[in-house]
Each structure stands twice: as C-alpha cells, then as structure tokens.
Amino acid sequence: MTKILIADGGATSVNWALLGKDFIKKFNTSGLNPYTSSSEDIRHTINKELSPEIRNQSICKVFFYGAGCSTPTKNEILKEAIKTSTPKDADITIEHDLLGAARGLLQKKKGLACILGTGSNSCLYDGNNIVDSSISLGFVLGDEGSGAY
C-alpha cells in the first residue's frame, strides 16, 4: 500500500505525518531550515531521525512545507536529503511553510493565513497559492508576534 508523507517544518522542530489508507503515524524530528542549517546537518538529521520512522514504507509522495523553503536553491537542499530516505520514485514537493499553513487552514477558500511561532508571517491566499504576503525579516527583527519576541 502506498503512503503519503507530510511535514510541517521549522528551525526548531518538524512535525511529520505518514498517511496510509487506514492509518496515520505522527512523529517529530529536529528542525530543518535550509537558511539556518548546513546541507550536511540536514542530511544527518534526515538519516538519523527520519529514516528510522519511515523504514520499509512504500511512500509515493512527500509534501514538505518548511521555514526557509522560499527559493529553488534552498528547496533543493531539502529535496536531496529527503531522497536519501524515500523510495527512488517518490514525488517530493518542497514549499514554504506559509503556503502549508494557508492550505491547511483555508483549503480551497480565499482568505488570510498567519503563522505565529518562533517566527511569524502572514499572507493573502487565493484558494491555491499565496498572492501577497507581509515582509518577514526573520525571527528576530520586526517579528513582534513571534516566539522570539
């Protein structure tokens, strides 16, 4: 039976859900942010913490929504690391955590979505994609809604 792996990733921790036809397995790993962690550290975390959780699973799709996943170059770092732990033919999608929050909250409806965590951010969502967002200076500068504040 094929399974889908979904992640909500931040610099502090990543919440994972492995979805099958009749089950959901949830687990956490250390944070994975390509802006604050090196490629080597990301690969090490994936191999040490993710691999044991999904060993021998026939995963067909991976959706990783993460902090720092805002450019193709940064997204590729995570994609390559995740490839080392998933089947070779798995379809891996890496997107920004704000898009994941909007899709999770609003699904196909238009609206506003926000993240209030270690870092905070907000956006206008059209039911499929982010059409406008606030400027985020990271989790320290100008981030009065964040956990850092």
Side-chain angles (χ1 to χ4, degrees):
M1 175 188 355
T2 57
K3 297 173 181 82
I4 297 172
L5 183 63
I6 301 175
D8 171 24
T12 307
S13 66
V14 180
N15 299 314
W16 299 86
L18 181 62
L19 310 172
K21 184 177 179 184
D22 297 321
F23 80 97
I24 298 174
K25 176 183 179 182
K26 296 179 182 180
F27 56 94
N28 299 313
T29 64
S30 299
L32 299 169
N33 181 327
Y35 274 98
T36 59
S37 299
S38 69
S39 298
E40 295 79 29
D41 287 343
I42 290 171
R43 270 190 247 108
H44 176 74
T45 298
I46 293 288
N47 291 328
K48 182 180 174 194
E49 299 180 34
L50 176 63
S51 292
E53 296 286 349
I54 62 172
R55 188 173 287 122
N56 301 322
Q57 300 292 333
S58 55
I59 297 168
C60 64
K61 292 186 183 246
V62 177
F63 296 96
F64 187 99
Y65 295 98
C69 297
S70 55
T71 67
T73 303
K74 296 297 183 184
N75 294 357
E76 194 63 27
I77 292 169
L78 273 166
K79 187 173 190 174
E80 290 302 314
I82 291 170
K83 278 184 184 180
T84 65
S85 294
T86 57
K88 293 188 185 326
D89 60 346
D91 180 21
I92 301 171
T93 301
I94 311 293
E95 298 280 358
H96 196 274
D97 60 346
L98 191 55
L99 181 59
R103 287 181 174 167
L105 175 67
L106 300 165
Q107 297 177 4
K108 296 288 183 182
K109 296 181 221 162
K110 295 178 182 180
L112 297 171
C114 302
I115 293 176
L116 299 172
T118 306
S120 65
N121 208 343
S122 61
C123 71
L124 179 61
Y125 178 70
D126 70 1
N128 192 40
N129 291 300
I130 293 172
V131 293
D132 197 11
S133 63
S134 61
I135 296 172
S136 176
L137 299 175
F139 66 93
V140 176
L141 299 174
D143 204 7
E144 286 77 15
S146 77
Y149 186 74

